Amino acid sequence: MSGPVLRIAIPSPLYRTFDYAPPPDTDISALQPGIRVRVPFGRRSVVGFLLELGHDTPLDPAALRPAQAVLDTEPILPADVLALLRWAQGYYHHPPGDVFAAALPTLLRQGEPAALPQPPLLWRITTAGHAARTQAAPALRRAPAQFLLLDHLAAYPDGAAAEDSLRPVVRDSAATLRALHAKGWVERTAPTVIPSLAAPPSSIPAPVLNEAQTAAVAAIVAQLDRFGVFLLEGVTGSGKTEVYLRLIEAVLAQGRQALALVPEIGLTPQLLARFRERLPGPLAVLHSGLSDRERLHAWLSARSGVARVVVGTRSAVFAPLPTPGIIIVDEEHDLSFKQQDGFRYHARDLAIIRAQRLGIPVVLGSATPALESLHNARRGRYRALRLPERVGGGRTPSIELLDVRRQPLIEGLSPPLLERMRAHLAREEQVLLFLNRRGFAPVLFCHECGWLSQCRHCDARMTLHLRQRRLLCHHCGDSRPIDITCPTCGSVDLRAIGQGTERLETALQQEFPTVGIARLDRDSTRRRGSLETLLTDIHNGQRRLLIGTQMLAKGHHFPEVTLVGIVDADQGLYGIDFRSSERMAQLILQVAGRAGRADKPGVVIIQTHHPDHPLLRLLATQGYPAFAAAALDERQAAALPPFAHQALLRAESADPERAMAFLQAARALAEPLAAGLELLGPAPAPMERRAGRYRAHLLLQAVRRQDLHDFLEIWTVQLRKKPLDRHIRWSLDVDPMELY
Ligand code: ADP
Ligand code: ZN
Ligand code: ZN
């Protein structure tokens, strides 16, 4: 066989590439790794991704199917993203087709051309043209078509008309325009910026940086030309975003681009407005809420270099940038950076790898850094930079633990907390209550026989939602009308147990009938614009009692809030996941950080049944750094991450036995290979049944990362060789963030 073999990644669960012959009559020199190719796959035609040009194939070369079409003339992804994806594919042991698909917008995966739409060519009348028209120049009088067109342009509202729109005006508009152009009566104008990217000139003057900000900016700017990881730690309001803006300005001034990654929930209009106001040049935004077309457009404008700044959520870590100069990861501890299904990458970790390969700095910012990141800073791998104070010198809110043991709780609220709320509300201040459970109550229960509102598909209770008059499963999405009588015994004595934000709202309406209440959770903000309405009401003081889930924790600032109540901190203290307490501490501080301002520092009251819990006490008395240090010590003593490295093999099946049997077999394969590794399980997942499928897992743990990866290299090959059991789905999660 003469021509090269195309090694193609195709979106499929198979851990392999596929070989094809080039399409007939292709210029071989045009085939470069990184271009898209349309190929026949089974009976379908799919868009694949050319990984490499080979010279041999294990298949019969004569039987090699030819690709159908080459879709790009140049690689669709820049070399550094291609290299990052290859690295990620090896590290996460995920099928190549899926990995490459994750980096491309949907429309490109479907084969759309990778070209920005051409801005329409505009025509407008010149001063000479105006003169000729008003004076009815002789040359014009002899050419009625030109006269007509000039008239039309003179009256055109915005002064410039798209060429297409002139076609109906006269018979041969193109020729007429040429004639007018030759006489200098009309001219062409091209819109230079794409309207959706257009940025108003920066109008807001930048504040003078304080000492800590100056030091942080200087430390990073001094190293813009090389790789380094900077951990920027500072409470909410300490000026981290201001530091990002200065760094981005410095990078833009060098003619380079900046990439800022933000959590799903942190990408607020406020943040974007601030970036747009302050930064010169077009900005592209990449997140899951965009239409496919908008996303493609933003992506292409990053790739073409038109967009100078790219702000996006997780998958923006793969954004194509011709001239990258810095990567910023805001709220680096946030869980949304980890993809929780399919290709389970961690965008923060990949941002570091990408920056390393590019030789540029990466800045990780947080008020509550992940223990992994703090550990890396302690070991000197990251450079720690601190912003110790709120800008303007305001104190950070003080934290009090409130012992609720033996207290008569009114809908989950203790009398001392209610008393404090009353006092703050009486001073016309605002109060915020945090309860991370939406709905009315987490379970409906029969007082007669003990029946519980169990989900049919999951090992979970269905949550009662009174507004929607339904029971909802928060795990599989199933819902049904609320039972009026017990399905088991027919009793009408059904009771709602436990707390949800809806119930809290109802209770507080009775307790504080004259105070406007704002509930912020996924239910109350589902309708477009409802969140904005609530925020406006809060800011103008019409609603002063705020209740919400973790939606409250990011992005918004409530300067009039002087009291924050954490309704229930206990679920985080003894959660099944070893990261529960870290998460709880981060959430509490994130919520606390929303409140107060310089002249009105807030108070945070945490209701707990475990007021002596050592980590909780540290958090309350000495703050996050002390908490984190103690939590890291605990992790070290227990040899848990970041002092060990984990991978989780998950399996699920409609039949509980099969998933376990698969994992037993996987463990048997692993045992002879697993030097330096600990194998834990298999065990059923904490919620064994979800959406009708039984889930179990096998946890692998190693003290040395390299041992784990050497092992995975061999083991995953063996696993994939096992005869395919179509009744089982399995997946590997490297560096899992959640153990279920
Ligand atoms: P963070 O990102 O840490 O929450 P921000 O950068 O958003 O903090 O700063 C908090 C507020 O203080 C913002 O309104 C910001 O404009 C303002 N700010 C930040 N730095 C300064 C400064 N050096 N001088 C005055 N105001 C500042
Ligand atoms: Zn009953
Ligand atoms: Zn369910």
Side-chain angles (χ1 to χ4, degrees):
M1 141 125 213
S2 53
V5 175
L6 310 187
R7 236 137 356 246
I8 309 265
I10 287 174
S12 93
L14 297 178
Y15 196 92
R16 49 167 292 200
T17 54
F18 296 84
D19 289 352
Y20 287 88
D25 310 320
T26 312
D27 173 9
I28 303 297
S29 67
L31 297 172
Q32 304 173 56
I35 61 173
R36 291 171 302 153
V37 179
R38 189 175 278 288
V39 294
F41 189 66
R43 262 174 294 170
R44 292 179 303 144
S45 159
V46 301
V47 174
F49 197 85
L50 178 60
L51 287 185
E52 62 177 16
L53 292 160
H55 292 289
D56 45 19
T57 171
L59 309 175
D60 172 10
L64 217 53
R65 296 171 86 180
Q68 293 158 325
V70 170
L71 300 180
D72 298 309
T73 52
E74 57 187 66
I76 191 151
L77 290 167
D80 83 291
V81 177
L82 281 175
L84 179 70
L85 290 168
R86 279 175 204 271
W87 185 91
Q89 193 227 313
Y91 184 85
Y92 292 106
H93 300 276
H94 196 72
D98 248 18
V99 168
F100 285 87
L104 293 179
T106 310
L107 290 177
L108 292 182
R109 290 204 296 270
Q110 293 169 352
E112 282 247 348
L116 283 169
Q118 279 300 313
L121 210 50
L122 303 182
W123 287 98
R124 89 176 148 220
I125 182 167
T126 61
T127 321
H130 275 299
R133 190 179 76 93
T134 42
Q135 292 153 17
L140 200 53
R141 261 179 287 159
R142 286 192 301 275
Q146 293 180 27
F147 202 87
L148 217 62
L149 204 56
L150 216 49
D151 238 18
H152 183 83
L153 281 177
Y156 210 78
D158 297 327
E163 184 157 337
D164 281 353
S165 74
L166 300 175
R167 220 164 276 147
V169 179
V170 293
R171 195 130 46 92
D172 190 353
S173 62
T176 313
L177 280 167
R178 266 200 306 280
L180 286 168
H181 191 221
K183 292 176 182 141
W185 291 344
V186 297
E187 64 187 2
R188 255 195 262 253
T189 111
T192 44
V193 270
I194 299 149
S196 61
L197 295 170
S202 33
S203 49
I204 312 290
V208 178
L209 296 185
N210 65 29
E211 216 171 296
Q213 287 173 314
T214 309
V217 171
I220 301 167
V221 166
Q223 307 212 4
L224 282 186
D225 57 346
R226 67 194 107 120
F227 169 66
V229 186
F230 297 89
L231 181 62
L232 182 65
E233 186 178 356
V235 297
T236 311
S238 61
K240 295 184 296 298
T241 310
E242 189 58 42
V243 169
Y244 306 151
L245 289 168
R246 295 303 167 94
L247 295 172
I248 295 173
E249 278 170 4
V251 165
L252 295 180
Q254 293 185 332
R256 299 204 276 171
Q257 291 166 289
L259 172 62
L261 302 179
V262 295
E264 206 66 67
I265 203 166
L267 190 58
T268 58
Q270 289 92 320
L271 177 101
L272 287 177
R274 195 159 156 208
F275 269 59
R276 285 212 168 93
E277 276 163 9
R278 285 286 301 283
L279 297 171
L283 177 138
V285 186
L286 287 167
H287 64 90
S288 53
L290 300 175
S291 72
D292 287 348
R293 184 66 52 193
E294 289 167 328
R295 197 175 165 76
L296 175 65
H297 191 248
W299 194 89
L300 289 172
S301 63
R303 178 174 178 263
S304 67
V306 169
R308 306 310 299 165
V309 181
V310 176
V311 183
T313 50
R314 186 174 56 230
S315 67
V317 73
F318 303 116
L321 305 166
T323 55
I326 195 167
I327 306 179
I328 289 161
V329 185
D330 188 30
E331 313 275 11
E332 62 90 31
H333 65 278
D334 196 273
L335 210 53
S336 74
F337 287 121
K338 177 80 199 276
Q339 169 93 23
Q340 304 281 18
D341 54 13
F343 172 31
R344 297 176 147 93
Y345 64 94
H346 199 305
R348 176 198 59 214
D349 297 348
L350 288 184
I352 294 169
I353 300 290
R354 187 173 180 189
Q356 184 172 28
R357 290 163 166 271
L358 287 167
I360 61 173
V362 56
V363 180
L364 313 179
S366 177
T368 52
L371 295 187
E372 279 83 359
S373 301
L374 286 172
H375 179 57
N376 279 322
R378 281 187 179 184
R379 290 196 295 168
R381 295 213 174 168
Y382 300 173
R383 167 124 179 239
L385 300 168
R386 283 198 190 82
L387 304 182
E389 283 164 5
R390 281 194 174 189
V391 171
R395 276 184 296 124
T396 47
S398 59
I399 301 181
E400 295 172 22
L401 298 182
L402 202 165
D403 184 357
V404 293
R405 284 173 298 182
R406 292 179 297 276
Q407 297 260 14
L409 296 182
I410 301 160
E411 302 293 2
L413 301 176
S414 63
L417 178 56
L418 282 168
E419 213 40 61
R420 299 281 284 273
M421 291 171 62
R422 205 160 279 130
H424 283 256
L425 290 170
R427 292 198 298 265
E428 294 293 307
E429 294 168 357
Q430 298 189 346
V431 172
L432 184 162
L433 291 181
F434 173 71
L435 177 62
N436 210 8
R437 207 185 289 120
R438 64 196 170 91
F440 185 80
V443 58
L444 188 65
F445 160 86
C446 173
H447 193 55
E448 206 65 45
C449 75
W451 168 87
L452 295 168
S453 56
Q454 190 78 32
C455 174
R456 283 174 298 169
H457 313 289
C458 307
D459 290 335
R461 320 254 184 263
M462 297 187 95
T463 302
L464 181 65
H465 286 249
L466 272 191
R467 292 283 157 79
Q468 299 171 50
R469 296 169 201 251
R470 294 188 82 75
L471 290 165
L472 296 182
C473 174
H474 288 182
H475 303 283
C476 71
D478 193 23
S479 83
R480 61 192 166 89
I482 297 171
D483 302 275
I484 303 190
T485 56
C486 171
T488 312
C489 74
S491 159
V492 291
D493 193 359
L494 295 183
R495 301 183 182 186
I497 315 275
Q499 297 304 315
T501 47
E502 233 184 56
R503 182 175 214 165
L504 200 52
E505 181 184 21
T506 311
L508 290 171
Q509 277 162 351
Q510 287 169 8
E511 202 72 29
F512 302 100
T514 59
V515 179
I517 298 179
R519 172 165 63 93
L520 293 108
D521 58 27
R522 217 158 14 110
D523 300 318
S524 70
T525 56
R526 191 156 294 160
R527 245 184 325 113
R528 234 196 151 99
S530 47
L531 176 63
E532 286 69 23
T533 310
L534 283 173
L535 291 176
T536 311
D537 286 1
I538 294 167
H539 285 291
N540 63 28
Q542 257 164 298
R543 299 183 198 233
R544 294 194 291 123
L545 189 41
L546 289 49
I547 306 167
T549 57
Q550 60 179 337
M551 181 176 268
L552 282 174
K554 310 269 161 58
H556 311 293
H557 189 59
F558 305 110
E560 303 304 321
V561 168
T562 52
L563 175 65
V564 173
I566 309 290
V567 177
D568 176 14
D570 293 345
Q571 60 194 114
L573 294 179
Y574 297 101
I576 39 173
D577 195 315
F578 69 88
R579 288 190 174 86
S580 305
S581 57
E582 177 187 355
R583 298 251 164 74
M584 178 51 74
Q586 289 167 342
L587 255 178
I588 289 174
L589 292 186
Q590 295 287 328
V591 173
R594 303 294 115 206
R597 57 171 201 236
D599 56 329
K600 272 191 193 174
V603 181
V604 179
I605 295 182
I606 301 176
Q607 294 199 132
T608 176
H609 289 87
H610 306 280
D612 297 320
H613 191 286
L615 287 179
L616 198 54
R617 290 205 71 82
L618 269 178
L619 184 69
T621 55
Q622 297 177 47
Y624 190 76
F627 162 87
L632 272 172
D633 289 345
E634 281 191 2
R635 297 270 186 95
Q636 184 158 27
L640 285 167
F643 300 92
H645 303 279
Q646 295 182 329
L648 193 67
L649 181 68
R650 293 187 176 86
E652 59 171 68
S653 167
D655 169 2
E657 314 277 294
R658 273 177 196 265
M660 282 300 266
F662 168 82
L663 292 173
Q664 297 285 9
R667 183 182 166 122
L669 279 178
E671 261 157 14
L673 303 168
L677 254 69
E678 226 183 317
L679 306 178
L680 301 152
M687 187 194 297
E688 184 176 11
R689 200 167 59 110
R690 180 172 176 168
R693 299 179 67 87
Y694 291 85
R695 302 149 353 118
H697 58 224
L698 174 65
L699 182 64
L700 311 142
Q701 187 168 293
V703 171
R704 289 180 354 111
R705 196 190 285 276
Q706 197 56 47
D707 288 342
L708 179 63
H709 283 270
D710 290 347
F711 161 80
L712 289 176
E713 203 66 53
I714 304 169
W715 187 54
T716 50
V717 173
Q718 299 193 353
L719 278 181
R720 289 190 295 263
K721 277 206 200 115
K722 277 172 63 71
L724 206 61
D725 180 345
R726 273 182 297 116
H727 301 284
I728 286 181
R729 263 189 252 144
W730 63 268
S731 63
L732 184 69
D733 191 350
V734 176
D735 306 331
M737 295 303 289
E738 288 181 314
L739 298 184
Y740 51 82

